[in-house]
Protein backbone atom coordinates (compact mmCIF):
# COMPACT_ATOMS: atom_id res chain seq x y z
CA UNK A 1 0.00 0.00 0.00
CA UNK A 2 1.47 3.38 -1.02
CA UNK A 3 2.30 5.70 1.84
CA UNK A 4 1.42 9.39 2.11
CA UNK A 5 4.83 10.42 0.72
CA UNK A 6 4.09 8.67 -2.61
CA UNK A 7 0.98 10.78 -3.22
CA UNK A 8 1.00 13.81 -5.49
CA UNK A 9 -1.48 16.62 -6.07
CA UNK A 10 -3.55 17.17 -9.22
CA UNK A 11 -6.27 19.72 -9.90
CA UNK A 12 -9.66 18.64 -11.21
CA UNK A 13 -11.17 21.49 -13.22
CA UNK A 14 -14.66 22.16 -14.60
CA UNK A 15 -15.83 25.46 -16.05
CA UNK A 16 -19.10 26.91 -17.26
CA UNK A 17 -19.52 30.29 -18.95
CA UNK A 18 -20.38 31.98 -15.66
CA UNK A 19 -18.58 29.89 -13.03
CA UNK A 20 -15.77 27.41 -12.58
CA UNK A 21 -14.44 25.12 -9.91
CA UNK A 22 -10.94 23.81 -9.25
CA UNK A 23 -10.62 21.01 -6.72
CA UNK A 24 -7.13 19.87 -5.68
CA UNK A 25 -6.88 16.13 -4.97
CA UNK A 26 -4.04 14.00 -3.61
CA UNK A 27 -3.68 10.82 -5.65
CA UNK A 28 -1.41 7.80 -5.56
CA UNK A 29 0.70 6.69 -8.52
CA UNK A 30 -1.47 4.64 -10.89
CA UNK A 31 -4.62 6.70 -10.32
CA UNK A 32 -6.61 7.17 -13.53
CA UNK A 33 -8.28 10.33 -14.80
CA UNK A 34 -11.80 9.13 -13.99
CA UNK A 35 -10.75 7.98 -10.50
CA UNK A 36 -9.44 11.49 -9.78
CA UNK A 37 -12.73 13.00 -10.99
CA UNK A 38 -14.68 10.66 -8.71
CA UNK A 39 -12.34 11.41 -5.80
CA UNK A 40 -12.90 15.16 -6.32
CA UNK A 41 -16.69 14.70 -6.07
CA UNK A 42 -17.09 17.37 -8.78
CA UNK A 43 -20.40 15.82 -9.88
CA UNK A 44 -21.91 16.86 -6.54
CA UNK A 45 -21.32 20.52 -7.48
CA UNK A 46 -22.35 20.06 -11.14
CA UNK A 47 -24.99 17.30 -11.40
CA UNK A 48 -25.09 17.62 -15.21
CA UNK A 49 -21.72 15.82 -15.41
CA UNK A 50 -22.31 12.24 -16.57
CA UNK A 51 -19.25 10.36 -15.32
CA UNK A 52 -19.80 7.51 -17.79
CA UNK A 53 -19.78 9.74 -20.89
CA UNK A 54 -17.79 12.82 -19.87
CA UNK A 55 -14.79 13.86 -22.01
CA UNK A 56 -11.57 14.41 -20.08
CA UNK A 57 -8.21 15.92 -20.86
CA UNK A 58 -5.12 17.62 -19.56
CA UNK A 59 -3.83 20.98 -20.79
CA UNK A 60 -6.25 20.87 -23.79
CA UNK A 61 -5.12 17.36 -24.79
CA UNK A 62 -7.77 14.67 -24.82
CA UNK A 63 -7.29 11.83 -22.33
CA UNK A 64 -8.95 8.46 -21.86
CA UNK A 65 -10.80 7.65 -18.65
CA UNK A 66 -8.36 4.84 -17.81
CA UNK A 67 -5.19 6.83 -18.60
CA UNK A 68 -2.91 7.12 -15.57
CA UNK A 69 -2.11 10.50 -14.09
CA UNK A 70 1.46 11.74 -13.74
CA UNK A 71 2.75 14.40 -11.34
CA UNK A 72 2.20 17.90 -12.73
CA UNK A 73 -0.91 16.96 -14.70
CA UNK A 74 -4.37 18.39 -14.20
CA UNK A 75 -7.72 16.84 -15.04
CA UNK A 76 -9.99 18.95 -17.24
CA UNK A 77 -13.65 17.99 -17.53
CA UNK A 78 -15.00 19.08 -20.91
CA UNK A 79 -18.56 20.16 -21.60
CA UNK A 80 -20.36 18.93 -24.73
CA UNK A 81 -20.19 21.30 -27.71
CA UNK A 82 -23.25 23.49 -28.22
CA UNK A 83 -22.69 23.68 -31.99
CA UNK A 84 -20.53 21.85 -34.50
CA UNK A 85 -17.65 24.23 -35.38
CA UNK A 86 -17.68 23.08 -39.03
CA UNK A 87 -21.37 23.96 -39.38
CA UNK A 88 -20.84 27.37 -37.78
CA UNK A 89 -17.95 28.13 -40.16
CA UNK A 90 -19.97 26.96 -43.19
CA UNK A 91 -22.94 29.18 -42.25
CA UNK A 92 -20.69 32.18 -41.66
CA UNK A 93 -19.08 31.69 -45.10
CA UNK A 94 -22.48 31.38 -46.81
CA UNK A 95 -23.66 34.57 -45.11
CA UNK A 96 -20.52 36.41 -46.27
CA UNK A 97 -21.18 35.31 -49.85
CA UNK A 98 -24.81 36.47 -49.67
CA UNK A 99 -23.76 39.86 -48.26
CA UNK A 100 -21.11 40.33 -50.97
CA UNK A 101 -18.20 40.21 -48.51
CA UNK A 102 -16.86 37.06 -50.21
CA UNK A 103 -16.48 35.89 -53.79
CA UNK A 104 -19.49 33.73 -54.71
CA UNK A 105 -17.34 31.23 -56.63
CA UNK A 106 -14.14 30.85 -54.63
CA UNK A 107 -15.34 32.01 -51.22
CA UNK A 108 -12.27 34.27 -50.94
CA UNK A 109 -12.42 37.95 -50.10
CA UNK A 110 -14.19 40.08 -52.65
Amino acid sequence: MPNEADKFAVDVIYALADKQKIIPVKVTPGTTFIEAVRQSRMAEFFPEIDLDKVKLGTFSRSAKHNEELQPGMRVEIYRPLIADPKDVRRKRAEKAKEEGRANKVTGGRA
Side-chain angles (χ1 to χ4, degrees), residues 55-74:
K55 302 268 190 228
L56 303 174
T58 183
F59 298 106
S60 300
R61 179 188 64 80
S62 183
K64 296 184 176 168
H65 282 212
N66 61 354
E67 187 176 329
E68 289 186 10
L69 287 165
Q70 302 298 320
M73 285 185 160
R74 69 179 185 189

Side-chain angles (χ1 to χ4, degrees), residues 36-105:
V37 172
R38 286 194 170 97
Q39 188 175 335
S40 74
R41 299 181 12 218
M42 187 70 79
E44 291 179 17
F45 298 98
F46 301 97
E48 68 271 14
I49 297 174
D50 181 355
L51 294 178
D52 295 326
K53 297 179 184 176
V54 70
K55 302 268 190 228
L56 303 174
T58 183
F59 298 106
S60 300
R61 179 188 64 80
S62 183
K64 296 184 176 168
H65 282 212
N66 61 354
E67 187 176 329
E68 289 186 10
L69 287 165
Q70 302 298 320
M73 285 185 160
R74 69 179 185 189
V75 179
E76 299 167 347
I77 303 172
Y78 300 133
R79 293 177 284 141
L81 292 176
I82 297 170
D84 180 9
K86 289 181 182 179
D87 287 340
V88 172
R89 167 69 179 93
R90 190 176 303 110
K91 289 176 184 173
R92 190 171 51 236
E94 288 170 3
K95 183 178 178 187
K97 287 179 190 176
E98 290 170 6
E99 294 175 352
R101 294 182 290 121
N103 183 300
K104 295 190 186 305
V105 177

